Amino acid sequence: MWRAADAVPSPTDDLDALERRLAHGDGLFVVAEADGRLVGTLIGGWDGWRAGLYRLAVHPQWRRRGIATRLIGEVEARLGHLGARRISLRVFHDSPGAIELWRSVGYHALPEESVFAKNLARPRR
């Protein structure tokens, strides 16, 4: 689904990572279905201190129907219920419409912050 939605891949996008995330069982991995098909995803994260949103994707055939907005609202509500007071996310500049979408649901860029990342080598099995 992420490939079909042209989601920007990252080093953490693999089956092992997805299974580990699902194993948390915290109800923060939300999907949208239509006609029995997966058409959207959004993953919330909460460590008891910080909340984040990850991997919002809607299948191209199902865009512009409010699916992303509903996914965001659902995960925000779940995070709020868990005690989150602020939610952070990353927006890739080359994702068409992404900045506009996030602004339309109340998010804004923080001019005083920058995102830093370091990819770690995957452990050998």
Side-chain angles (χ1 to χ4, degrees):
M1 210 300 297
W2 289 338
R3 271 185 238 130
D6 293 325
V8 176
S10 78
T12 59
D13 295 341
D14 60 40
L15 185 57
D16 288 342
L18 183 59
E19 288 175 343
R20 280 193 309 276
R21 181 63 195 97
L22 286 168
H24 282 269
D26 56 12
L28 294 175
F29 193 125
V30 178
V31 300
E33 294 180 320
D35 300 331
R37 292 179 44 209
L38 177 65
V39 298
T41 65
L42 180 59
I43 301 171
W46 172 245
D47 64 7
W49 182 34
R50 293 191 177 161
L53 298 178
Y54 309 93
R55 307 311 291 155
L56 174 63
V58 175
H59 192 282
Q61 293 176 332
W62 290 91
R63 290 182 182 156
R64 312 292 307 162
R65 300 181 193 203
I67 293 171
T69 301
R70 288 193 301 274
L71 286 167
I72 294 165
E74 180 63 30
V75 176
E76 285 176 342
R78 293 178 187 195
L79 287 166
H81 181 73
L82 292 171
R85 295 178 24 207
R86 181 182 192 181
I87 301 171
S88 300
L89 57 108
R90 294 177 180 185
V91 179
F92 293 96
H93 297 283
D94 60 351
S95 295
I99 292 173
E100 294 80 7
L101 168 69
W102 289 109
R103 284 183 176 150
S104 76
V105 293
Y107 289 79
H108 59 277
L110 299 175
E112 69 275 10
E113 293 185 14
S114 295
V115 175
F116 288 75
K118 178 181 180 180
N119 295 330
L120 300 177
R122 290 189 56 171
R124 294 183 181 174
R125 291 184 171 216

